[in-house]
Amino acid sequence: MHLIHCTQKLLKELSVPTVDPAEYPDSGEGIGNWYANLFRVERRKCLLFTNEKTLYSFIIPKVVKKDLERIGELFLSNLNYNFQFEEFPVESIANDYGEIKFAKTASRIVLGSMNELRFTYEYEVYRYGGIDKLNPLETNHFLNGLIMGALKYKYPVKAMRELLQSRYEG
């Protein structure tokens, strides 16, 4: 079982029950918990998911209310798509995320990194001339190739690859 730590803004939109993160300590299994934020670009809702251990992130653009009602499925399918794009092993994802619960955020470091990624995404939308002109998988790949100070100046994509290798290959 894993947690998705949601910002207050997202929790208001979701109207799902939350749990106390202290009741669900990280067992060290799998790739860990995630953080989620809801923000707007060009008046469209977007979701940003960030892994708490590696800061590996993916953005889901143009989210509608119906999508938020099935956020767990949306998270897992997009995680799978992004892992396939990065050529990560995806067979373990379904086993790791059998049950997902939601909680409030608990790490200011992760939230700060998410804000940085959001601003970079907004700039990319501006640079390419609109949200419809970006390929979400390529954009997520670009964002995960940015060096992150919170990772002691490592790349999130490299940190996730190392975590997956240590968890599932060794």
Side-chain angles (χ1 to χ4, degrees):
M1 195 275 310
H2 290 284
L3 297 177
I4 296 180
H5 294 272
C6 302
T7 60
Q8 288 293 332
K9 188 176 199 175
L10 179 56
L11 284 174
K12 284 180 188 175
E13 292 274 336
L14 291 179
S15 64
V16 296
T18 59
V19 297
D20 181 6
E23 293 177 19
Y24 297 92
D26 182 22
S27 64
E29 295 177 9
I31 57 175
N33 298 323
W34 291 77
Y35 278 66
N37 186 21
L38 179 71
F39 64 98
R40 290 183 183 270
V41 175
E42 294 182 337
R43 297 183 3 215
R44 294 183 177 153
K45 293 178 184 176
C46 299
L47 283 171
L48 169 62
F49 289 95
T50 300
N51 181 268
E52 69 181 355
K53 293 180 181 179
T54 65
L55 299 181
Y56 181 86
S57 302
F58 58 93
I59 291 175
I60 305 170
K62 302 184 276 186
V63 175
V64 295
K65 182 83 170 163
K66 182 179 75 175
D67 294 330
L68 294 175
E69 293 170 2
R70 54 179 195 84
I71 191 167
E73 295 170 36
L74 187 67
F75 164 74
L76 288 174
S77 64
N78 279 275
L79 177 63
N80 190 29
Y81 295 144
N82 281 277
F83 271 27
Q84 286 178 9
F85 189 81
E86 299 289 354
E87 299 180 355
F88 290 156
V90 295
E91 54 276 352
S92 55
I93 294 173
N95 296 334
D96 279 354
Y97 291 94
E99 183 181 4
I100 296 174
K101 295 200 180 275
F102 299 92
K104 294 180 180 179
T105 58
S107 171
R108 291 171 55 182
I109 293 171
V110 176
L111 290 174
S113 298
M114 290 175 77
N115 281 332
E116 188 177 326
L117 291 167
R118 187 192 77 188
F119 293 137
T120 302
Y121 179 74
E122 290 172 357
Y123 174 74
E124 288 297 294
V125 168
Y126 169 76
R127 186 167 79 109
Y128 281 92
I131 199 168
D132 293 323
K133 299 201 175 161
L134 289 176
N135 177 320
L137 293 172
E138 290 175 0
T139 304
N140 291 331
H141 176 74
F142 168 77
L143 292 174
N144 287 301
L146 299 174
I147 205 161
M148 300 298 284
L151 289 176
K152 296 186 169 80
Y153 301 99
K154 286 177 70 175
Y155 302 99
V157 69
K158 185 175 180 185
M160 181 58 81
R161 190 173 309 280
E162 290 170 358
L163 179 62
L164 289 170
Q165 287 174 343
S166 70
R167 295 280 185 217
Y168 301 111
E169 294 176 10

